[in-house]
Amino acid sequence: SLPPGRWFIRDAAASRDKSPYGFVMNAPVNGFDILGLVAGGGSMQMNCRQPCEDFKRSRYGDMEPGDVPNGEIVCCGGVKFICTWGADKEKNQRAKEIAKKCLRAHERVHLPGVTWDECATGPTAVKWKRSGKAACEEEVVAHGASRSCFEAALSECGGDQQCVDAVNAWIQQETAAIEIYKNRCKEFEK
């Protein structure tokens, strides 16, 4: 048996660092590497227990709830997370679940187009690979995806009129956003 604090085999990821806890950024209580595959924090889940809420609090904490974006992609521990804060505004539980699903559909359109420089230690904003007209056109597609999702999900409300009204409001909001972005995209053609 080995004395406490000793390993049978030294961790390969830690051997590159001076610290034996380098594979969890010297925070063995907060960081963990479930698969043992992390070198330099690549997919380590550290300070990422509630990445969407932590990011919202740090980025939008002083804003009125209605001014917080409906959704965003954040990075934490080398992993992309889709946040759907807009759904939290819904009082009707069915409408809230539909909103989460459809806001995720919107953000999934953006997933391939985002990256980050470094996000091993906590929630971080992603960086967009696209800009200008390409980013504008992607927003049109993303709002179209969420509008289609809301339209298809209307039947999930069943006879719940409060849910139907909420989903119809989302459809109107997404339709308006599509028109706004289509007009913005035209500005790039001038």
Side-chain angles (χ1 to χ4, degrees):
S1 132
L2 293 174
R6 302 288 179 192
W7 295 278
F8 285 107
I9 300 172
R10 185 157 175 84
D11 185 271
S15 67
R16 286 186 278 273
D17 298 327
K18 292 180 182 178
S19 168
Y21 297 109
F23 68 104
V24 287
M25 309 294 266
N26 291 320
V29 173
N30 295 327
F32 53 92
D33 177 11
I34 295 171
L35 301 176
L37 302 174
V38 176
S43 63
M44 179 179 53
Q45 298 296 301
M46 184 171 186
N47 300 325
C48 299
R49 290 185 181 95
Q50 295 180 319
C52 291
E53 288 309 306
D54 291 344
F55 183 81
K56 180 177 142 187
R57 192 173 21 263
S58 69
R59 172 68 69 86
Y60 305 114
D62 296 338
M63 287 184 157
E64 293 295 319
D67 295 334
V68 174
N70 284 331
E72 194 164 342
I73 302 169
V74 301
C75 173
C76 193
V79 177
K80 295 175 188 176
F81 292 88
I82 293 178
C83 305
T84 57
W85 305 303
D88 296 338
K89 301 170 194 169
E90 288 300 333
K91 292 173 180 54
N92 181 284
Q93 191 58 39
R94 280 186 188 163
K96 181 182 253 186
E97 292 307 314
I98 290 168
K100 283 181 184 179
K101 175 176 70 173
C102 295
L103 293 173
R104 279 193 296 268
H106 174 109
E107 296 302 334
R108 273 194 302 274
V109 170
H110 297 307
L111 276 174
V114 295
T115 186
W116 56 84
D117 293 330
E118 180 61 45
C119 69
T121 59
T124 309
V126 295
K127 301 206 182 335
W128 296 94
K129 293 179 186 174
R130 294 175 191 78
S131 62
K133 186 176 181 185
C136 187
E137 290 170 341
E138 186 174 286
E139 277 298 330
V140 172
V141 172
H143 283 287
S146 53
R147 180 179 67 184
S148 295
C149 177
F150 281 116
E151 289 169 342
L154 262 174
S155 64
E156 295 175 32
C157 289
D160 185 343
Q161 191 59 46
Q162 195 178 33
C163 176
V164 169
D165 292 345
V167 171
N168 277 324
W170 279 104
I171 292 169
Q172 290 174 355
Q173 180 179 320
E174 294 303 296
T175 300
I178 290 167
E179 291 308 311
I180 289 168
Y181 278 102
K182 280 182 178 179
N183 289 329
R184 284 185 188 168
C185 293
K186 288 178 187 173
E187 295 295 317
F188 290 102
E189 296 170 7
K190 293 180 181 179

